Amino acid sequence: MRIGIIGTGRIGSFHAASLARHPDAGSLLLADADPERAARLADRLGATAAPSVDQVFAWGVDALVVSCSTEGHAELVVRAVRGGLPVFCEKPVAPALGRTLEVLREVGAARGVLQLGFMRRFDAGYAAARALVRSGALGRLHTVRTTTADPAPPPAGYLPSSGGLFRDCLVHDFDMVRWVTGREVTEVYAAGSDEGRPDFREAGDVHSGAALLTLDDGTLVSSTGTRCNGAGYDVRMELGGELDQVSTGLDDRTPIASTEPHGPPPASKPWTGFLERFGPAYEAELAAFVRLVRGEGPNPCDGAEALAAFRVAEACELSRRERRRVRMEELPGL
């Protein structure tokens, strides 16, 4: 099997290294907007560097991994499925909901195979929480709380094309809310803060946000996120039921300290970022893609699943801008 990887930045390099170690992945063909960066990575991994994206398609691959900047995702996904290639794409498919729907229609028309990169579905803690909820061990859920806190803001140049805090960051939380609980979001109310660094305001974005979601069985979900958590990388989910409550992401590296006299000590080595925290999950999702391409496993996150999470993020962004409650039925794509 020959796999093409387009985009060899931070996440693309991680994916390439993961696939280079996989016994069934075969050879890799790498391309990037910066051909020299792709060549350096190829030399390090024993892969082949293509001088351009066009050459990846011209030389031929059996599957494609799209890990370039967001604005390039849609065109590459469509090009891949039209050519009969299974494609793994980092989220999002496109920066806006309308274009996302167009791409997914193309995927459907081509009967294409598209797996989206929602790596938390492969995290051991989230999988255990899902199993507990589905088994009934927690009883009827009444409250869910999620948080995603980055230790430092991204570069200012990234913000205008990121899609914003809800679409770029908290969309992972929204995916987990659906995946863990098995319920759908019916309405949202969201707010955000752009105080501090001016580049967030200039990009029309916020550095911190909060959303109140209502699920179709009445369960309430609060989701908070920030780009400015100096204590470290903090991703957690708390599920409260009538019988019990549990938390994911709570361990000796969680960057939170207790003020109680007998509380646990602060983390001596807090998580530094998403690649460190979710490294095993990223590896597992690419292994699932290899199985999918080989016809040995199901698609763990297809376009419809990704769309559902993106619609929640889109609703939150609309709510934040218009300062009102948004019903999910207001958005296209049901």
Side-chain angles (χ1 to χ4, degrees):
M1 181 192 307
R2 192 183 203 193
I3 300 178
I5 300 177
I6 298 178
T8 57
R10 180 169 54 170
I11 190 62
S13 296
F14 191 94
H15 287 332
S18 176
L19 288 169
R21 293 189 296 268
H22 196 291
D24 296 325
S27 61
L28 303 179
L29 181 58
L30 314 181
D32 192 272
D34 179 355
E36 291 184 3
R37 180 165 68 175
R40 289 193 298 270
L41 181 61
D43 287 343
R44 192 162 71 246
L45 298 178
T48 301
S52 69
V53 170
D54 288 340
Q55 289 303 111
V56 172
F57 288 94
W59 290 355
V61 292
D62 299 302
L64 191 70
V65 171
V66 176
S67 51
C68 59
S69 56
T70 296
E71 58 266 25
H73 290 186
E75 178 184 351
L76 290 169
V77 169
V78 170
R79 188 173 180 181
V81 297
R82 284 179 176 174
L85 294 177
V87 57
F88 173 92
C89 181
E90 278 299 329
K91 61 80 188 164
V93 172
L97 182 57
R99 181 58 174 147
T100 299
L101 292 170
E102 291 174 2
V103 173
L104 295 184
R105 282 193 288 269
E106 289 269 7
V107 173
R111 298 183 182 274
V113 174
L114 170 63
Q115 179 183 332
L116 268 294
F118 281 97
M119 76 292 180
R120 294 187 195 178
R121 292 178 175 227
F122 298 89
D123 179 73
Y126 282 102
R130 184 178 194 260
L132 286 170
V133 171
R134 303 302 178 90
S135 73
L138 305 185
R140 187 188 69 82
L141 290 180
H142 50 75
T143 307
V144 178
R145 291 177 287 273
T146 77
T147 188
T148 292
D150 291 330
Y158 173 79
L159 295 175
S161 62
S162 72
L165 182 72
F166 294 105
R167 299 188 192 98
D168 181 52
C169 183
L170 285 174
V171 68
H172 284 288
D173 297 72
F174 305 147
D175 182 59
M176 283 299 93
V177 167
R178 295 185 62 255
W179 190 73
V180 170
T181 69
R183 314 304 306 193
E184 298 293 343
V185 177
T186 59
E187 66 179 36
V188 312
Y189 188 87
S193 172
D194 61 4
E195 298 300 320
R197 277 178 36 174
D199 44 349
F200 286 96
R201 288 189 296 279
E202 292 166 1
D205 196 6
V206 293
H207 61 69
S208 301
L212 177 63
L213 318 177
T214 302
L215 304 187
D216 56 14
D217 64 347
T219 301
L220 297 177
V221 180
S222 61
S223 293
T224 61
T226 184
R227 304 285 200 181
C228 307
N229 195 54
Y233 184 69
D234 188 8
V235 172
R236 282 175 284 130
M237 183 181 206
E238 298 173 8
L239 298 122
E242 293 180 341
L243 299 180
D244 204 354
Q245 61 179 352
V246 295
S247 175
T248 69
L250 189 60
D251 59 21
D252 60 358
R253 299 193 64 183
T254 305
I256 188 167
S258 173
T259 60
E260 297 298 325
H262 304 293
S268 60
K269 189 182 178 183
W271 297 107
T272 59
F274 62 90
L275 283 179
E276 183 188 31
R277 166 67 178 84
F278 289 108
Y282 277 112
E283 294 233 6
E285 74 173 352
L286 265 294
F289 180 61
V290 172
R291 291 194 297 274
L292 177 64
V293 174
R294 289 168 59 92
E296 298 171 351
N299 191 336
C301 188
D302 61 13
E305 287 290 293
L307 175 63
F310 191 76
R311 289 181 74 251
V312 178
E314 189 82 1
C316 287
E317 182 60 26
L318 178 62
S319 175
R320 179 188 75 84
R321 290 198 314 267
E322 298 188 359
R323 297 177 179 270
R324 66 176 179 90
R325 182 185 70 171
V326 173
R327 300 276 305 173
M328 292 304 302
E329 61 202 34
E330 297 181 43
L331 278 69
L334 277 176

